[in-house]
Amino acid sequence: MTKTINYAAISLLALSMVVPRIASAQDFAAIVAAPDRSDADRQTDVRRQPAKMLAFTGVKDGMKVLDMEANAGYSTELMARAVGPTGTVWAQDPASIIERFVKDKFDNRAKNPAMKNVVHVIRDFDDPIPPDVSNLDMITFFFAYHDVTYMPVDRAKMNAKMYAALKPGGTLIIADHSAKPGEGITVAKTLHRIEEATLRQEIEAAGFKLVAEGDFLRHPEDPRDDKVFKPAVPVDEFVLKYQKPN
């Protein structure tokens, strides 16, 4: 009897030592507060609420993640920090986006040790995933789906490719700037907004199932009639979590 009690105590002690390490790995506030993040990213944090976004995604150590239209890599770096050294983040950008907007911004960010587990993928939106990448745990598409709507992109094909690349039960986290009801994609190029209902319809047509909505970037005071760059009031933004059914 004595040995059984001692073994149980040892087991409990071992468990207590392991659990805090697991929890701390998902301390999103600590990830955001990392001292080696840039001042520019910290300024962006005020608007983007990254700790809340990371928590909403459910990202974990060791995950395989694709970040669509990574651009300068703000979200890519956060996801890379969240998946840790055992995870991988593929950062997708078309060559045209890099040439026109990104330039050397992503390459400069890639010098940060936090980006060691990131692979920059230069591929068009129609076929964004390398053929050797599959069974992804998560795809993120942050504030860029509206851009794709005014480009020569087959969005149905793009969405089908994302769906196919995810493992069963994998998730697509998509966020964008909200347009008024009825505007669809008509203000995507001028105001850089998209109607939420339109985006939902396109994503769900690929087979994705909505499992959660985030309201932490909602701003009902936004009249949604202005460009999202330097707006008079905070921009109303929706955040959606979709899942590929098991």
Side-chain angles (χ1 to χ4, degrees):
M1 178 65 71
T2 302
K3 288 185 177 180
T4 302
I5 293 174
N6 286 343
Y7 284 137
I10 291 170
S11 297
L12 286 172
L13 178 61
L15 181 62
S16 69
M17 294 173 66
V18 170
V19 170
R21 285 201 293 270
I22 295 173
S24 64
Q26 301 310 322
D27 187 346
F28 298 124
I31 289 173
V32 172
D36 60 330
R37 294 185 67 231
S38 70
D39 290 339
D41 282 356
R42 295 188 194 285
Q43 292 177 14
T44 303
D45 291 346
V46 176
R47 175 175 57 85
R48 294 282 289 267
Q49 299 293 307
K52 293 180 180 178
M53 181 66 84
L54 289 171
F56 179 80
T57 68
V59 62
K60 294 180 174 62
D61 282 331
M63 277 190 167
K64 299 194 301 180
V65 179
L66 171 73
D67 187 26
M68 292 285 290
E69 197 178 330
N71 210 290
Y74 168 85
S75 295
T76 305
E77 182 180 325
L78 286 167
M79 296 303 291
R81 291 173 183 272
V83 302
T86 61
T88 304
V89 179
W90 287 267
Q92 179 269 344
D93 275 308
S96 58
I97 294 291
I98 294 174
E99 182 180 352
R100 293 183 60 194
F101 303 110
V102 179
K103 307 296 184 183
D104 60 352
K105 295 176 184 177
F106 190 95
D107 290 341
N108 288 336
R109 182 186 293 275
K111 298 174 184 176
N112 189 320
M115 296 282 284
K116 284 185 177 180
N117 57 345
V118 173
V119 179
H120 202 188
V121 176
I122 315 303
R123 296 179 68 90
D124 291 338
F125 287 113
D126 296 273
D127 193 16
I129 299 101
D132 60 337
V133 175
S134 61
N135 289 311
L136 292 169
D137 296 289
M138 183 181 297
I139 296 175
T140 55
F141 208 149
F142 292 143
F143 309 101
Y145 193 93
H146 71 271
D147 289 325
V148 179
T149 67
Y150 57 83
M151 297 178 184
V153 175
D154 184 337
R155 298 194 299 281
K157 181 180 178 181
M158 176 186 73
N159 294 339
K161 291 285 187 178
M162 291 194 295
Y163 186 90
L166 282 170
K167 70 179 185 181
T171 53
L172 166 65
I173 315 299
I174 190 162
D176 219 321
H177 315 295
S178 179
K180 294 178 181 178
E183 288 186 327
I185 64 172
T186 62
V187 295
K189 191 171 185 178
T190 55
L191 303 184
H192 289 270
R193 298 173 180 266
I194 185 171
E195 184 182 354
E196 181 179 347
T198 299
L199 184 146
R200 286 190 183 213
Q201 182 179 23
E202 294 189 3
I203 294 297
E204 291 167 16
F208 289 102
K209 304 301 180 185
L210 184 67
V211 293
E213 303 176 41
D215 62 1
F216 50 92
L217 295 179
R218 284 292 194 185
H219 290 283
E221 71 275 20
D222 177 18
R224 293 179 284 179
D225 58 4
D226 195 7
K227 291 183 179 179
V228 300
F229 310 114
K230 298 182 179 179
V233 297
V235 175
D236 182 59
E237 295 165 331
F238 55 88
V239 187
L240 308 171
K241 179 186 287 188
Y242 281 96
Q243 188 172 49
K244 178 178 179 177
N246 287 307

